[in-house]
PDB file of all heavy atoms in Angstrom:
ATOM      1  N   LYS Q   9      -1.459  -6.057  14.205  1.00 92.00           N
ATOM      2  CA  LYS Q   9      -2.137  -4.788  14.465  1.00 92.00           C
ATOM      3  C   LYS Q   9      -3.113  -4.509  13.337  1.00 92.00           C
ATOM      4  O   LYS Q   9      -2.741  -4.518  12.169  1.00 92.00           O
ATOM      5  CB  LYS Q   9      -1.110  -3.660  14.587  1.00 92.00           C
ATOM      6  CG  LYS Q   9      -1.720  -2.309  14.955  1.00 92.00           C
ATOM      7  CD  LYS Q   9      -0.635  -1.258  15.066  1.00 92.00           C
ATOM      8  CE  LYS Q   9      -1.220   0.110  15.396  1.00 92.00           C
ATOM      9  NZ  LYS Q   9      -0.158   1.150  15.466  1.00 92.00           N
ATOM     10  N   PHE Q  10      -4.371  -4.265  13.686  1.00 91.00           N
ATOM     11  CA  PHE Q  10      -5.445  -3.971  12.739  1.00 91.00           C
ATOM     12  C   PHE Q  10      -5.933  -2.564  13.043  1.00 91.00           C
ATOM     13  O   PHE Q  10      -6.512  -2.316  14.106  1.00 91.00           O
ATOM     14  CB  PHE Q  10      -6.555  -5.010  12.901  1.00 91.00           C
ATOM     15  CG  PHE Q  10      -7.703  -4.845  11.949  1.00 91.00           C
ATOM     16  CD1 PHE Q  10      -7.520  -4.978  10.586  1.00 91.00           C
ATOM     17  CD2 PHE Q  10      -8.977  -4.573  12.421  1.00 91.00           C
ATOM     18  CE1 PHE Q  10      -8.573  -4.842   9.707  1.00 91.00           C
ATOM     19  CE2 PHE Q  10     -10.044  -4.434  11.557  1.00 91.00           C
ATOM     20  CZ  PHE Q  10      -9.840  -4.573  10.193  1.00 91.00           C
ATOM     21  N   PHE Q  11      -5.703  -1.610  12.124  1.00 88.00           N
ATOM     22  CA  PHE Q  11      -5.953  -0.207  12.446  1.00 88.00           C
ATOM     23  C   PHE Q  11      -6.369   0.562  11.195  1.00 88.00           C
ATOM     24  O   PHE Q  11      -6.258   0.067  10.071  1.00 88.00           O
ATOM     25  CB  PHE Q  11      -4.699   0.424  13.046  1.00 88.00           C
ATOM     26  CG  PHE Q  11      -3.511   0.422  12.115  1.00 88.00           C
ATOM     27  CD1 PHE Q  11      -3.156   1.551  11.403  1.00 88.00           C
ATOM     28  CD2 PHE Q  11      -2.752  -0.721  11.956  1.00 88.00           C
ATOM     29  CE1 PHE Q  11      -2.079   1.558  10.552  1.00 88.00           C
ATOM     30  CE2 PHE Q  11      -1.656  -0.739  11.100  1.00 88.00           C
ATOM     31  CZ  PHE Q  11      -1.317   0.403  10.397  1.00 88.00           C
ATOM     32  N   SER Q  12      -6.846   1.794  11.420  1.00 85.00           N
ATOM     33  CA  SER Q  12      -7.273   2.668  10.336  1.00 85.00           C
ATOM     34  C   SER Q  12      -6.073   3.401   9.749  1.00 85.00           C
ATOM     35  O   SER Q  12      -5.147   3.774  10.463  1.00 85.00           O
ATOM     36  CB  SER Q  12      -8.300   3.685  10.836  1.00 85.00           C
ATOM     37  OG  SER Q  12      -9.464   3.037  11.300  1.00 85.00           O
ATOM     38  N   SER Q  13      -6.137   3.640   8.443  1.00 84.00           N
ATOM     39  CA  SER Q  13      -5.052   4.346   7.762  1.00 84.00           C
ATOM     40  C   SER Q  13      -5.088   5.828   8.114  1.00 84.00           C
ATOM     41  O   SER Q  13      -6.163   6.404   8.291  1.00 84.00           O
ATOM     42  CB  SER Q  13      -5.187   4.157   6.256  1.00 84.00           C
ATOM     43  OG  SER Q  13      -4.284   4.988   5.570  1.00 84.00           O
ATOM     44  N   PRO Q  14      -3.918   6.463   8.223  1.00 80.00           N
ATOM     45  CA  PRO Q  14      -3.905   7.914   8.472  1.00 80.00           C
ATOM     46  C   PRO Q  14      -4.533   8.715   7.336  1.00 80.00           C
ATOM     47  O   PRO Q  14      -4.947   9.848   7.543  1.00 80.00           O
ATOM     48  CB  PRO Q  14      -2.404   8.230   8.606  1.00 80.00           C
ATOM     49  CG  PRO Q  14      -1.748   6.927   8.922  1.00 80.00           C
ATOM     50  CD  PRO Q  14      -2.570   5.884   8.242  1.00 80.00           C
ATOM     51  N   ILE Q  15      -4.600   8.126   6.150  1.00 81.00           N
ATOM     52  CA  ILE Q  15      -5.161   8.847   5.003  1.00 81.00           C
ATOM     53  C   ILE Q  15      -6.659   9.051   5.178  1.00 81.00           C
ATOM     54  O   ILE Q  15      -7.186  10.138   4.953  1.00 81.00           O
ATOM     55  CB  ILE Q  15      -4.864   8.084   3.703  1.00 81.00           C
ATOM     56  CG1 ILE Q  15      -3.347   7.980   3.504  1.00 81.00           C
ATOM     57  CG2 ILE Q  15      -5.527   8.761   2.512  1.00 81.00           C
ATOM     58  CD1 ILE Q  15      -2.954   7.172   2.300  1.00 81.00           C
ATOM     59  N   SER Q  16      -7.353   7.982   5.569  1.00 80.00           N
ATOM     60  CA  SER Q  16      -8.803   8.057   5.750  1.00 80.00           C
ATOM     61  C   SER Q  16      -9.224   7.033   6.800  1.00 80.00           C
ATOM     62  O   SER Q  16      -8.650   5.944   6.883  1.00 80.00           O
ATOM     63  CB  SER Q  16      -9.525   7.793   4.432  1.00 80.00           C
ATOM     64  OG  SER Q  16     -10.927   7.849   4.614  1.00 80.00           O
ATOM     65  N   PHE Q  17     -10.247   7.395   7.549  1.00 80.00           N
ATOM     66  CA  PHE Q  17     -10.663   6.550   8.662  1.00 80.00           C
ATOM     67  C   PHE Q  17     -11.255   5.223   8.206  1.00 80.00           C
ATOM     68  O   PHE Q  17     -11.169   4.223   8.910  1.00 80.00           O
ATOM     69  CB  PHE Q  17     -11.683   7.314   9.513  1.00 80.00           C
ATOM     70  CG  PHE Q  17     -12.139   6.570  10.728  1.00 80.00           C
ATOM     71  CD1 PHE Q  17     -11.302   6.431  11.821  1.00 80.00           C
ATOM     72  CD2 PHE Q  17     -13.400   5.996  10.779  1.00 80.00           C
ATOM     73  CE1 PHE Q  17     -11.713   5.741  12.946  1.00 80.00           C
ATOM     74  CE2 PHE Q  17     -13.824   5.303  11.898  1.00 80.00           C
ATOM     75  CZ  PHE Q  17     -12.969   5.176  12.988  1.00 80.00           C
ATOM     76  N   ASN Q  18     -11.861   5.187   7.042  1.00 82.00           N
ATOM     77  CA  ASN Q  18     -12.538   3.971   6.592  1.00 82.00           C
ATOM     78  C   ASN Q  18     -11.595   2.980   5.913  1.00 82.00           C
ATOM     79  O   ASN Q  18     -11.997   1.866   5.585  1.00 82.00           O
ATOM     80  CB  ASN Q  18     -13.660   4.325   5.619  1.00 82.00           C
ATOM     81  CG  ASN Q  18     -13.134   4.892   4.316  1.00 82.00           C
ATOM     82  OD1 ASN Q  18     -12.590   5.990   4.311  1.00 82.00           O
ATOM     83  ND2 ASN Q  18     -13.290   4.173   3.225  1.00 82.00           N
ATOM     84  N   LEU Q  19     -10.341   3.363   5.688  1.00 87.00           N
ATOM     85  CA  LEU Q  19      -9.360   2.478   5.071  1.00 87.00           C
ATOM     86  C   LEU Q  19      -8.632   1.701   6.161  1.00 87.00           C
ATOM     87  O   LEU Q  19      -7.999   2.291   7.038  1.00 87.00           O
ATOM     88  CB  LEU Q  19      -8.363   3.276   4.234  1.00 87.00           C
ATOM     89  CG  LEU Q  19      -8.960   4.143   3.128  1.00 87.00           C
ATOM     90  CD1 LEU Q  19      -7.870   4.911   2.413  1.00 87.00           C
ATOM     91  CD2 LEU Q  19      -9.758   3.292   2.144  1.00 87.00           C
ATOM     92  N   MET Q  20      -8.726   0.381   6.126  1.00 89.00           N
ATOM     93  CA  MET Q  20      -8.173  -0.467   7.177  1.00 89.00           C
ATOM     94  C   MET Q  20      -6.828  -1.042   6.744  1.00 89.00           C
ATOM     95  O   MET Q  20      -6.647  -1.472   5.602  1.00 89.00           O
ATOM     96  CB  MET Q  20      -9.144  -1.595   7.514  1.00 89.00           C
ATOM     97  CG  MET Q  20     -10.525  -1.109   7.923  1.00 89.00           C
ATOM     98  SD  MET Q  20     -10.487   0.133   9.249  1.00 89.00           S
ATOM     99  CE  MET Q  20      -9.737  -0.824  10.574  1.00 89.00           C
ATOM    100  N   MET Q  21      -5.885  -1.043   7.684  1.00 92.00           N
ATOM    101  CA  MET Q  21      -4.527  -1.508   7.445  1.00 92.00           C
ATOM    102  C   MET Q  21      -4.219  -2.710   8.342  1.00 92.00           C
ATOM    103  O   MET Q  21      -4.852  -2.911   9.374  1.00 92.00           O
ATOM    104  CB  MET Q  21      -3.527  -0.387   7.727  1.00 92.00           C
ATOM    105  CG  MET Q  21      -3.761   0.892   6.957  1.00 92.00           C
ATOM    106  SD  MET Q  21      -3.390   0.720   5.219  1.00 92.00           S
ATOM    107  CE  MET Q  21      -1.613   0.455   5.314  1.00 92.00           C
ATOM    108  N   LEU Q  22      -3.234  -3.494   7.925  1.00 93.00           N
ATOM    109  CA  LEU Q  22      -2.769  -4.640   8.698  1.00 93.00           C
ATOM    110  C   LEU Q  22      -1.260  -4.535   8.867  1.00 93.00           C
ATOM    111  O   LEU Q  22      -0.535  -4.257   7.915  1.00 93.00           O
ATOM    112  CB  LEU Q  22      -3.107  -5.957   7.992  1.00 93.00           C
ATOM    113  CG  LEU Q  22      -2.605  -7.227   8.698  1.00 93.00           C
ATOM    114  CD1 LEU Q  22      -3.378  -7.457   9.993  1.00 93.00           C
ATOM    115  CD2 LEU Q  22      -2.728  -8.443   7.778  1.00 93.00           C
ATOM    116  N   GLU Q  23      -0.806  -4.762  10.104  1.00 94.00           N
ATOM    117  CA  GLU Q  23       0.632  -4.728  10.394  1.00 94.00           C
ATOM    118  C   GLU Q  23       1.019  -5.969  11.182  1.00 94.00           C
ATOM    119  O   GLU Q  23       0.423  -6.281  12.206  1.00 94.00           O
ATOM    120  CB  GLU Q  23       0.991  -3.473  11.185  1.00 94.00           C
ATOM    121  CG  GLU Q  23       2.472  -3.387  11.548  1.00 94.00           C
ATOM    122  CD  GLU Q  23       2.780  -2.175  12.410  1.00 94.00           C
ATOM    123  OE1 GLU Q  23       2.697  -1.052  11.876  1.00 94.00           O
ATOM    124  OE2 GLU Q  23       3.090  -2.362  13.602  1.00 94.00           O
ATOM    125  N   VAL Q  24       2.011  -6.689  10.696  1.00 95.00           N
ATOM    126  CA  VAL Q  24       2.578  -7.857  11.374  1.00 95.00           C
ATOM    127  C   VAL Q  24       4.011  -7.506  11.741  1.00 95.00           C
ATOM    128  O   VAL Q  24       4.824  -7.206  10.856  1.00 95.00           O
ATOM    129  CB  VAL Q  24       2.536  -9.113  10.493  1.00 95.00           C
ATOM    130  CG1 VAL Q  24       3.127 -10.304  11.236  1.00 95.00           C
ATOM    131  CG2 VAL Q  24       1.108  -9.426  10.061  1.00 95.00           C
ATOM    132  N   SER Q  25       4.342  -7.535  13.016  1.00 94.00           N
ATOM    133  CA  SER Q  25       5.671  -7.127  13.464  1.00 94.00           C
ATOM    134  C   SER Q  25       6.205  -8.094  14.504  1.00 94.00           C
ATOM    135  O   SER Q  25       5.439  -8.797  15.169  1.00 94.00           O
ATOM    136  CB  SER Q  25       5.636  -5.706  14.040  1.00 94.00           C
ATOM    137  OG  SER Q  25       4.717  -5.635  15.125  1.00 94.00           O
ATOM    138  N   ASN Q  26       7.515  -8.120  14.640  1.00 95.00           N
ATOM    139  CA  ASN Q  26       8.199  -8.954  15.632  1.00 95.00           C
ATOM    140  C   ASN Q  26       8.767  -8.035  16.708  1.00 95.00           C
ATOM    141  O   ASN Q  26       9.746  -7.321  16.476  1.00 95.00           O
ATOM    142  CB  ASN Q  26       9.308  -9.763  14.970  1.00 95.00           C
ATOM    143  CG  ASN Q  26      10.031 -10.667  15.959  1.00 95.00           C
ATOM    144  OD1 ASN Q  26       9.597 -10.836  17.092  1.00 95.00           O
ATOM    145  ND2 ASN Q  26      11.130 -11.256  15.526  1.00 95.00           N
ATOM    146  N   LEU Q  27       8.159  -8.059  17.883  1.00 93.00           N
ATOM    147  CA  LEU Q  27       8.562  -7.193  18.989  1.00 93.00           C
ATOM    148  C   LEU Q  27       9.450  -7.918  19.987  1.00 93.00           C
ATOM    149  O   LEU Q  27       9.782  -7.350  21.036  1.00 93.00           O
ATOM    150  CB  LEU Q  27       7.316  -6.660  19.711  1.00 93.00           C
ATOM    151  CG  LEU Q  27       6.286  -5.934  18.845  1.00 93.00           C
ATOM    152  CD1 LEU Q  27       5.102  -5.502  19.693  1.00 93.00           C
ATOM    153  CD2 LEU Q  27       6.910  -4.747  18.137  1.00 93.00           C
ATOM    154  N   GLY Q  28       9.842  -9.143  19.685  1.00 91.00           N
ATOM    155  CA  GLY Q  28      10.632  -9.930  20.615  1.00 91.00           C
ATOM    156  C   GLY Q  28      12.130  -9.697  20.472  1.00 91.00           C
ATOM    157  O   GLY Q  28      12.590  -8.793  19.765  1.00 91.00           O
ATOM    158  N   LYS Q  29      12.908 -10.570  21.134  1.00 91.00           N
ATOM    159  CA  LYS Q  29      14.363 -10.446  21.147  1.00 91.00           C
ATOM    160  C   LYS Q  29      15.046 -11.419  20.196  1.00 91.00           C
ATOM    161  O   LYS Q  29      16.281 -11.462  20.143  1.00 91.00           O
ATOM    162  CB  LYS Q  29      14.888 -10.670  22.574  1.00 91.00           C
ATOM    163  CG  LYS Q  29      14.357  -9.688  23.592  1.00 91.00           C
ATOM    164  CD  LYS Q  29      14.898  -9.980  24.974  1.00 91.00           C
ATOM    165  CE  LYS Q  29      14.359  -8.987  26.006  1.00 91.00           C
ATOM    166  NZ  LYS Q  29      14.866  -9.297  27.373  1.00 91.00           N
ATOM    167  N   GLY Q  30      14.265 -12.231  19.482  1.00 92.00           N
ATOM    168  CA  GLY Q  30      14.844 -13.205  18.574  1.00 92.00           C
ATOM    169  C   GLY Q  30      14.076 -13.273  17.270  1.00 92.00           C
ATOM    170  O   GLY Q  30      12.991 -12.694  17.125  1.00 92.00           O
ATOM    171  N   ILE Q  31      14.632 -13.993  16.313  1.00 93.00           N
ATOM    172  CA  ILE Q  31      14.015 -14.149  15.005  1.00 93.00           C
ATOM    173  C   ILE Q  31      12.857 -15.137  15.089  1.00 93.00           C
ATOM    174  O   ILE Q  31      12.977 -16.190  15.724  1.00 93.00           O
ATOM    175  CB  ILE Q  31      15.059 -14.627  13.985  1.00 93.00           C
ATOM    176  CG1 ILE Q  31      16.196 -13.602  13.865  1.00 93.00           C
ATOM    177  CG2 ILE Q  31      14.427 -14.867  12.620  1.00 93.00           C
ATOM    178  CD1 ILE Q  31      17.337 -14.064  12.991  1.00 93.00           C
ATOM    179  N   ALA Q  32      11.742 -14.783  14.467  1.00 94.00           N
ATOM    180  CA  ALA Q  32      10.571 -15.668  14.407  1.00 94.00           C
ATOM    181  C   ALA Q  32      10.608 -16.439  13.093  1.00 94.00           C
ATOM    182  O   ALA Q  32      10.797 -15.860  12.026  1.00 94.00           O
ATOM    183  CB  ALA Q  32       9.280 -14.861  14.515  1.00 94.00           C
ATOM    184  N   ARG Q  33      10.400 -17.737  13.177  1.00 94.00           N
ATOM    185  CA  ARG Q  33      10.417 -18.586  11.991  1.00 94.00           C
ATOM    186  C   ARG Q  33       9.106 -19.358  11.883  1.00 94.00           C
ATOM    187  O   ARG Q  33       8.432 -19.588  12.879  1.00 94.00           O
ATOM    188  CB  ARG Q  33      11.597 -19.559  12.042  1.00 94.00           C
ATOM    189  CG  ARG Q  33      12.966 -18.864  11.942  1.00 94.00           C
ATOM    190  CD  ARG Q  33      14.098 -19.856  11.929  1.00 94.00           C
ATOM    191  NE  ARG Q  33      15.395 -19.197  11.713  1.00 94.00           N
ATOM    192  CZ  ARG Q  33      16.563 -19.825  11.716  1.00 94.00           C
ATOM    193  NH1 ARG Q  33      16.599 -21.139  11.929  1.00 94.00           N
ATOM    194  NH2 ARG Q  33      17.671 -19.150  11.516  1.00 94.00           N
ATOM    195  N   ASN Q  34       8.793 -19.734  10.627  1.00 94.00           N
ATOM    196  CA  ASN Q  34       7.578 -20.511  10.345  1.00 94.00           C
ATOM    197  C   ASN Q  34       6.328 -19.849  10.945  1.00 94.00           C
ATOM    198  O   ASN Q  34       5.572 -20.475  11.686  1.00 94.00           O
ATOM    199  CB  ASN Q  34       7.725 -21.947  10.864  1.00 94.00           C
ATOM    200  CG  ASN Q  34       8.877 -22.680  10.207  1.00 94.00           C
ATOM    201  OD1 ASN Q  34       9.151 -22.490   9.033  1.00 94.00           O
ATOM    202  ND2 ASN Q  34       9.566 -23.510  10.978  1.00 94.00           N
ATOM    203  N   VAL Q  35       6.163 -18.582  10.632  1.00 95.00           N
ATOM    204  CA  VAL Q  35       5.010 -17.831  11.135  1.00 95.00           C
ATOM    205  C   VAL Q  35       3.782 -18.235  10.322  1.00 95.00           C
ATOM    206  O   VAL Q  35       3.778 -18.146   9.095  1.00 95.00           O
ATOM    207  CB  VAL Q  35       5.247 -16.319  11.039  1.00 95.00           C
ATOM    208  CG1 VAL Q  35       4.079 -15.558  11.653  1.00 95.00           C
ATOM    209  CG2 VAL Q  35       6.558 -15.937  11.725  1.00 95.00           C
ATOM    210  N   ARG Q  36       2.734 -18.678  11.020  1.00 95.00           N
ATOM    211  CA  ARG Q  36       1.504 -19.126  10.363  1.00 95.00           C
ATOM    212  C   ARG Q  36       0.300 -18.482  11.041  1.00 95.00           C
ATOM    213  O   ARG Q  36       0.323 -18.182  12.239  1.00 95.00           O
ATOM    214  CB  ARG Q  36       1.377 -20.655  10.434  1.00 95.00           C
ATOM    215  CG  ARG Q  36       2.480 -21.401   9.699  1.00 95.00           C
ATOM    216  CD  ARG Q  36       2.376 -21.189   8.198  1.00 95.00           C
ATOM    217  NE  ARG Q  36       3.394 -21.927   7.464  1.00 95.00           N
ATOM    218  CZ  ARG Q  36       4.574 -21.442   7.122  1.00 95.00           C
ATOM    219  NH1 ARG Q  36       4.879 -20.193   7.470  1.00 95.00           N
ATOM    220  NH2 ARG Q  36       5.436 -22.169   6.448  1.00 95.00           N
ATOM    221  N   PHE Q  37      -0.764 -18.288  10.237  1.00 95.00           N
ATOM    222  CA  PHE Q  37      -1.969 -17.647  10.729  1.00 95.00           C
ATOM    223  C   PHE Q  37      -3.179 -18.527  10.411  1.00 95.00           C
ATOM    224  O   PHE Q  37      -3.273 -19.096   9.323  1.00 95.00           O
ATOM    225  CB  PHE Q  37      -2.157 -16.268  10.095  1.00 95.00           C
ATOM    226  CG  PHE Q  37      -0.986 -15.349  10.275  1.00 95.00           C
ATOM    227  CD1 PHE Q  37      -0.021 -15.232   9.271  1.00 95.00           C
ATOM    228  CD2 PHE Q  37      -0.837 -14.610  11.435  1.00 95.00           C
ATOM    229  CE1 PHE Q  37       1.058 -14.395   9.430  1.00 95.00           C
ATOM    230  CE2 PHE Q  37       0.246 -13.766  11.597  1.00 95.00           C
ATOM    231  CZ  PHE Q  37       1.194 -13.662  10.594  1.00 95.00           C
ATOM    232  N   LYS Q  38      -4.100 -18.609  11.373  1.00 95.00           N
ATOM    233  CA  LYS Q  38      -5.355 -19.326  11.180  1.00 95.00           C
ATOM    234  C   LYS Q  38      -6.489 -18.485  11.747  1.00 95.00           C
ATOM    235  O   LYS Q  38      -6.302 -17.719  12.710  1.00 95.00           O
ATOM    236  CB  LYS Q  38      -5.325 -20.694  11.859  1.00 95.00           C
ATOM    237  CG  LYS Q  38      -4.390 -21.689  11.179  1.00 95.00           C
ATOM    238  CD  LYS Q  38      -4.508 -23.074  11.799  1.00 95.00           C
ATOM    239  CE  LYS Q  38      -3.617 -24.076  11.079  1.00 95.00           C
ATOM    240  NZ  LYS Q  38      -3.742 -25.439  11.661  1.00 95.00           N
ATOM    241  N   PHE Q  39      -7.677 -18.667  11.171  1.00 95.00           N
ATOM    242  CA  PHE Q  39      -8.846 -17.874  11.557  1.00 95.00           C
ATOM    243  C   PHE Q  39      -9.905 -18.794  12.153  1.00 95.00           C
ATOM    244  O   PHE Q  39     -10.165 -19.889  11.619  1.00 95.00           O
ATOM    245  CB  PHE Q  39      -9.414 -17.139  10.338  1.00 95.00           C
ATOM    246  CG  PHE Q  39      -8.447 -16.157   9.726  1.00 95.00           C
ATOM    247  CD1 PHE Q  39      -7.472 -16.582   8.839  1.00 95.00           C
ATOM    248  CD2 PHE Q  39      -8.511 -14.815  10.065  1.00 95.00           C
ATOM    249  CE1 PHE Q  39      -6.587 -15.686   8.270  1.00 95.00           C
ATOM    250  CE2 PHE Q  39      -7.625 -13.906   9.497  1.00 95.00           C
ATOM    251  CZ  PHE Q  39      -6.665 -14.350   8.601  1.00 95.00           C
ATOM    252  N   TYR Q  40     -10.535 -18.334  13.245  1.00 94.00           N
ATOM    253  CA  TYR Q  40     -11.547 -19.136  13.940  1.00 94.00           C
ATOM    254  C   TYR Q  40     -12.753 -18.257  14.255  1.00 94.00           C
ATOM    255  O   TYR Q  40     -12.625 -17.043  14.479  1.00 94.00           O
ATOM    256  CB  TYR Q  40     -10.982 -19.709  15.251  1.00 94.00           C
ATOM    257  CG  TYR Q  40      -9.824 -20.658  15.053  1.00 94.00           C
ATOM    258  CD1 TYR Q  40      -8.510 -20.196  15.066  1.00 94.00           C
ATOM    259  CD2 TYR Q  40     -10.041 -22.018  14.845  1.00 94.00           C
ATOM    260  CE1 TYR Q  40      -7.442 -21.072  14.885  1.00 94.00           C
ATOM    261  CE2 TYR Q  40      -8.980 -22.894  14.668  1.00 94.00           C
ATOM    262  CZ  TYR Q  40      -7.689 -22.412  14.684  1.00 94.00           C
ATOM    263  OH  TYR Q  40      -6.642 -23.276  14.496  1.00 94.00           O
ATOM    264  N   ASP Q  41     -13.939 -18.887  14.296  1.00 91.00           N
ATOM    265  CA  ASP Q  41     -15.159 -18.163  14.627  1.00 91.00           C
ATOM    266  C   ASP Q  41     -15.384 -18.171  16.134  1.00 91.00           C
ATOM    267  O   ASP Q  41     -14.506 -18.583  16.905  1.00 91.00           O
ATOM    268  CB  ASP Q  41     -16.352 -18.762  13.881  1.00 91.00           C
ATOM    269  CG  ASP Q  41     -16.554 -20.239  14.211  1.00 91.00           C
ATOM    270  OD1 ASP Q  41     -15.962 -20.722  15.221  1.00 91.00           O
ATOM    271  OD2 ASP Q  41     -17.291 -20.921  13.474  1.00 91.00           O
ATOM    272  N   ARG Q  42     -16.554 -17.728  16.550  1.00 89.00           N
ATOM    273  CA  ARG Q  42     -16.854 -17.646  17.984  1.00 89.00           C
ATOM    274  C   ARG Q  42     -16.805 -19.001  18.676  1.00 89.00           C
ATOM    275  O   ARG Q  42     -16.477 -19.103  19.853  1.00 89.00           O
ATOM    276  CB  ARG Q  42     -18.244 -17.039  18.191  1.00 89.00           C
ATOM    277  CG  ARG Q  42     -18.385 -15.594  17.730  1.00 89.00           C
ATOM    278  CD  ARG Q  42     -19.794 -15.103  17.908  1.00 89.00           C
ATOM    279  NE  ARG Q  42     -19.979 -13.749  17.428  1.00 89.00           N
ATOM    280  CZ  ARG Q  42     -19.815 -12.660  18.182  1.00 89.00           C
ATOM    281  NH1 ARG Q  42     -19.480 -12.795  19.448  1.00 89.00           N
ATOM    282  NH2 ARG Q  42     -20.001 -11.462  17.665  1.00 89.00           N
ATOM    283  N   ASN Q  43     -17.146 -20.047  17.945  1.00 90.00           N
ATOM    284  CA  ASN Q  43     -17.217 -21.385  18.532  1.00 90.00           C
ATOM    285  C   ASN Q  43     -15.902 -22.144  18.428  1.00 90.00           C
ATOM    286  O   ASN Q  43     -15.841 -23.320  18.799  1.00 90.00           O
ATOM    287  CB  ASN Q  43     -18.325 -22.196  17.844  1.00 90.00           C
ATOM    288  CG  ASN Q  43     -19.685 -21.536  17.990  1.00 90.00           C
ATOM    289  OD1 ASN Q  43     -20.005 -20.989  19.049  1.00 90.00           O
ATOM    290  ND2 ASN Q  43     -20.497 -21.587  16.936  1.00 90.00           N
ATOM    291  N   GLY Q  44     -14.875 -21.500  17.928  1.00 89.00           N
ATOM    292  CA  GLY Q  44     -13.589 -22.154  17.824  1.00 89.00           C
ATOM    293  C   GLY Q  44     -13.410 -22.977  16.566  1.00 89.00           C
ATOM    294  O   GLY Q  44     -12.424 -23.710  16.452  1.00 89.00           O
ATOM    295  N   ASN Q  45     -14.324 -22.867  15.609  1.00 93.00           N
ATOM    296  CA  ASN Q  45     -14.206 -23.599  14.348  1.00 93.00           C
ATOM    297  C   ASN Q  45     -13.351 -22.792  13.371  1.00 93.00           C
ATOM    298  O   ASN Q  45     -13.517 -21.579  13.245  1.00 93.00           O
ATOM    299  CB  ASN Q  45     -15.582 -23.854  13.740  1.00 93.00           C
ATOM    300  CG  ASN Q  45     -16.474 -24.666  14.674  1.00 93.00           C
ATOM    301  OD1 ASN Q  45     -16.017 -25.622  15.300  1.00 93.00           O
ATOM    302  ND2 ASN Q  45     -17.733 -24.278  14.789  1.00 93.00           N
ATOM    303  N   GLU Q  46     -12.463 -23.476  12.673  1.00 93.00           N
ATOM    304  CA  GLU Q  46     -11.575 -22.785  11.747  1.00 93.00           C
ATOM    305  C   GLU Q  46     -12.361 -22.274  10.537  1.00 93.00           C
ATOM    306  O   GLU Q  46     -13.218 -22.968   9.989  1.00 93.00           O
ATOM    307  CB  GLU Q  46     -10.458 -23.712  11.285  1.00 93.00           C
ATOM    308  CG  GLU Q  46      -9.425 -23.016  10.405  1.00 93.00           C
ATOM    309  CD  GLU Q  46      -8.268 -23.918  10.036  1.00 93.00           C
ATOM    310  OE1 GLU Q  46      -8.239 -25.077  10.522  1.00 93.00           O
ATOM    311  OE2 GLU Q  46      -7.394 -23.479   9.264  1.00 93.00           O
ATOM    312  N   ILE Q  47     -12.054 -21.046  10.131  1.00 92.00           N
ATOM    313  CA  ILE Q  47     -12.711 -20.425   8.988  1.00 92.00           C
ATOM    314  C   ILE Q  47     -11.832 -20.623   7.758  1.00 92.00           C
ATOM    315  O   ILE Q  47     -10.668 -20.204   7.735  1.00 92.00           O
ATOM    316  CB  ILE Q  47     -12.949 -18.927   9.240  1.00 92.00           C
ATOM    317  CG1 ILE Q  47     -13.792 -18.726  10.508  1.00 92.00           C
ATOM    318  CG2 ILE Q  47     -13.634 -18.282   8.045  1.00 92.00           C
ATOM    319  CD1 ILE Q  47     -13.966 -17.275  10.893  1.00 92.00           C
ATOM    320  N   LYS Q  48     -12.387 -21.245   6.740  1.00 89.00           N
ATOM    321  CA  LYS Q  48     -11.665 -21.481   5.502  1.00 89.00           C
ATOM    322  C   LYS Q  48     -11.966 -20.366   4.497  1.00 89.00           C
ATOM    323  O   LYS Q  48     -12.793 -19.490   4.730  1.00 89.00           O
ATOM    324  CB  LYS Q  48     -12.060 -22.834   4.911  1.00 89.00           C
ATOM    325  CG  LYS Q  48     -11.786 -24.019   5.834  1.00 89.00           C
ATOM    326  CD  LYS Q  48     -10.297 -24.238   6.041  1.00 89.00           C
ATOM    327  CE  LYS Q  48     -10.043 -25.480   6.875  1.00 89.00           C
ATOM    328  NZ  LYS Q  48      -8.585 -25.720   7.067  1.00 89.00           N
ATOM    329  N   ALA Q  49     -11.281 -20.419   3.357  1.00 85.00           N
ATOM    330  CA  ALA Q  49     -11.498 -19.445   2.290  1.00 85.00           C
ATOM    331  C   ALA Q  49     -12.919 -19.562   1.755  1.00 85.00           C
ATOM    332  O   ALA Q  49     -13.511 -20.649   1.724  1.00 85.00           O
ATOM    333  CB  ALA Q  49     -10.493 -19.658   1.164  1.00 85.00           C
TER     334      ALA Q  49
END
């Protein structure tokens, strides 16, 4: 979840949550551009 902070509208927050019925393991994140190419640091 990517959302604005209740304190101020311009402050952006990030929330990672598990809404399922079981434990999630080895959670990994990757970033891609419009063309599907991975974005590095």
Side-chain angles (χ1 to χ4, degrees):
K9 184 180 178 182
F10 182 64
F11 61 100
S12 297
S13 171
I15 299 176
S16 179
F17 183 74
N18 67 292
L19 303 178
M20 304 308 298
M21 304 289 294
L22 178 69
E23 179 184 291
V24 180
S25 58
N26 181 10
L27 305 178
K29 300 179 180 179
I31 300 174
R33 293 183 175 177
N34 299 324
V35 184
R36 297 292 182 268
F37 305 96
K38 290 186 178 181
F39 298 83
Y40 297 92
D41 59 15
R42 295 177 182 270
N43 300 321
N45 300 318
E46 185 176 357
I47 302 175
K48 301 293 184 179

